[in-house]
Amino acid sequence: MKKAILLLILTLTQLFSYNTNVKAAYAIGIFDESGNGENVQHVRKTKHDYNNTCYTKVFVVGTFFKLKPDVYIGNSKGHFQSSKSIYNKRKIKIGEVLTYKHHAVTKGYFKVLFRNKLYDTKVFVK
């Protein structure tokens, strides 16, 4: 009986540990290895070419615990590098800015996915 209760508790704990509350995710910037980049919030196409290795920044509104969004530029999947929490005036966390590193970038759309749900894909990267 004790084993059954323990197994039930462990199962429920694992199921609720991935409970997320992501409201939105936005592509906000793209940078090359030397740090030169641009803000991509209100553009449809980047001004510069970002071939080979580049870095991207994504802003996620809400909580997402252990899971991270998937970020793509064309076929190049981004690898998570770092994050920075964003707070409002009352010190309540509203989201995070995540930095991703992309290898072998050619060209394509900048896509932000979370659990296979598409949040942002409007920017075309040269």
Side-chain angles (χ1 to χ4, degrees):
M1 184 67 177
K2 290 181 184 179
K3 289 182 181 180
I5 292 173
L6 182 63
L7 183 62
L8 179 67
I9 290 172
L10 288 175
T11 305
L12 290 176
T13 305
Q14 290 296 323
L15 289 175
F16 291 114
S17 66
Y18 292 106
N19 188 11
T20 61
N21 188 17
V22 174
K23 300 200 182 340
Y26 303 105
I28 58 173
I30 185 167
F31 306 91
D32 59 11
E33 288 180 311
S34 61
N36 300 324
E38 59 187 288
N39 184 350
V40 294
Q41 289 177 322
H42 303 290
V43 297
R44 295 281 182 193
K45 186 185 273 189
T46 59
K47 296 175 185 172
H48 306 289
D49 293 337
Y50 295 97
N51 293 330
N52 298 329
T53 304
C54 68
Y55 295 88
T56 56
K57 289 199 176 187
V58 175
F59 178 64
V60 179
V61 180
T63 56
F64 50 90
F65 302 110
K66 298 177 185 178
L67 300 174
K68 301 278 188 252
D70 294 325
V71 179
Y72 293 92
I73 297 177
N75 293 328
S76 173
K77 183 176 181 180
H79 301 283
F80 177 72
Q81 297 291 307
S82 64
S83 69
K84 179 181 176 186
S85 298
I86 304 295
Y87 297 92
N88 66 3
K89 292 180 182 178
R90 296 186 185 124
K91 304 294 182 197
I92 298 172
K93 183 178 174 182
I94 58 172
E96 285 193 41
V97 175
L98 307 170
T99 304
Y100 287 86
K101 184 175 184 179
H102 298 267
H103 301 284
V105 174
T106 54
K107 63 181 178 179
Y109 281 96
F110 188 166
K111 294 186 265 186
V112 180
L113 298 118
F114 192 82
R115 286 192 166 180
N116 294 327
K117 182 179 177 187
L118 185 64
Y119 280 94
D120 195 1
T121 186
K122 65 181 183 209
V123 180
F124 184 79
V125 178
K126 292 184 192 179

